[in-house]
Amino acid sequence: MKKIIILLNFLFVFTILSAQTLTGNVSYVSDGDTIHIVANNQKYKIRFYGIDTPEKTQEYGLEAKEFVHKRIANRNVKVEVMDTDRYGRKVGKVYYNGKYLNKEIVKNGYAWWYKNYARNDKDLENAEKYARVNKLGLWKSSNPIAPWDYRRGKKNKTTSTSSSSKNLDSVVYVTKSGKKYHRKGCRYLKSIGGSYPLKEAEALGYEACSKY
């Protein structure tokens, strides 16, 4: 009887551990920190644990998505599920080819270490330090805007317009070497080096083109 109880306890623990790990094919990359996978004939939406990539309307937001897409789109990944968030997404550590993808994203400068939710993850902490020191990706900017601050700013925005009647959410464009922002199609915009919401462009120190 004792052996049966031990065996049942082992099977119970094994079932729990198995339920915390998903192995499946990546069917869609939503953005730099959210993917969809199919595992065991079920669809799961996965939020990367411990990281936060720029929003797609921020600088490096699309680059972060492309970084992930190139590595795992239509490929198999393993997800160690850490939690389920309020939106029903599985929050997990994502691995491909034996590599910890969450760490790779941060180390290459495409995400912040989300330390409020992963305070003890030294891999992510050290990865961000590496990206900062080497000025990789978003750390090339002297004052990158964290996505949680960006989202808070959008949430708290009012419908009132500024004295100059600027739409702070309108998208403006900059060249790689210029210090001014332009409307799309501006004759002074020789080549597009990046795009930002107007509010973010001004926060980064860009000034309006004389034709804006």
Side-chain angles (χ1 to χ4, degrees):
M1 186 66 180
K2 186 175 181 181
K3 290 182 178 179
I4 294 175
I5 293 175
I6 293 174
L7 178 60
L8 289 175
N9 286 336
F10 173 80
L11 291 174
F12 177 72
V13 172
F14 179 78
T15 300
I16 292 176
L17 291 175
S18 297
Q20 293 177 332
T21 301
L22 298 171
T23 300
N25 186 265
V26 178
S27 59
Y28 181 65
V29 176
S30 300
D31 52 40
D33 53 34
T34 310
I35 61 175
H36 298 246
I37 71 170
V38 178
N40 302 320
N41 296 317
Q42 293 188 52
K43 295 180 180 179
Y44 296 91
K45 192 172 185 179
I46 308 295
R47 174 66 165 82
F48 284 68
Y49 165 80
I51 74 172
D52 202 3
T53 61
E55 296 294 310
K56 286 184 282 191
T57 50
Q58 286 185 267
E59 186 179 21
Y60 288 100
L62 294 178
E63 288 87 343
K65 177 181 178 179
E66 184 64 19
F67 181 87
V68 174
H69 188 273
K70 283 183 177 180
R71 282 155 180 78
I72 62 171
N74 301 314
R75 297 177 182 174
N76 287 333
V77 297
K78 183 179 77 172
V79 181
E80 290 185 3
V81 179
M82 309 297 288
D83 197 3
T84 300
D85 69 13
R86 58 180 174 171
Y87 304 110
R89 300 175 300 185
K90 300 296 183 184
V91 180
K93 297 181 178 182
V94 181
Y95 295 87
Y96 76 108
N97 295 335
K99 297 179 180 180
Y100 181 20
L101 183 54
N102 308 43
K103 172 186 172 182
E104 294 295 307
I105 297 169
V106 176
K107 188 174 182 179
N108 283 275
Y110 294 114
W112 273 258
W113 166 40
Y114 216 164
K115 58 184 175 181
N116 285 347
Y117 295 95
R119 191 168 299 277
N120 296 320
D121 195 311
K122 294 300 181 182
D123 285 332
L124 298 181
E125 179 181 1
N126 292 332
E128 183 175 298
K129 288 178 180 177
Y130 178 87
R132 283 175 177 266
V133 168
N134 291 281
K135 298 188 181 300
L136 300 177
L138 61 90
W139 301 111
K140 292 176 183 177
S141 171
S142 60
N143 186 32
I145 298 174
W148 51 86
D149 289 333
Y150 179 75
R151 290 189 292 267
R152 189 182 301 119
K154 291 189 71 175
K155 184 176 180 180
N156 294 337
K157 70 181 180 181
T158 64
T159 55
S160 62
T161 58
S162 65
S163 58
S164 60
S165 300
K166 291 179 180 178
N167 179 359
L168 296 180
D169 284 325
S170 62
V171 176
V172 295
Y173 302 86
V174 300
T175 61
K176 290 183 177 180
S177 58
K179 298 298 182 183
K180 297 184 181 295
Y181 59 80
H182 310 259
R183 297 181 190 274
K184 193 170 185 179
C186 174
R187 63 180 179 175
Y188 295 119
L189 184 64
K190 302 302 182 182
S191 62
I192 296 177
S195 61
Y196 309 89
L198 174 56
K199 181 178 180 180
E200 184 177 347
E202 292 187 339
L204 290 171
Y206 291 101
E207 297 178 355
C209 165
S210 60
K211 298 298 181 182
Y212 189 86

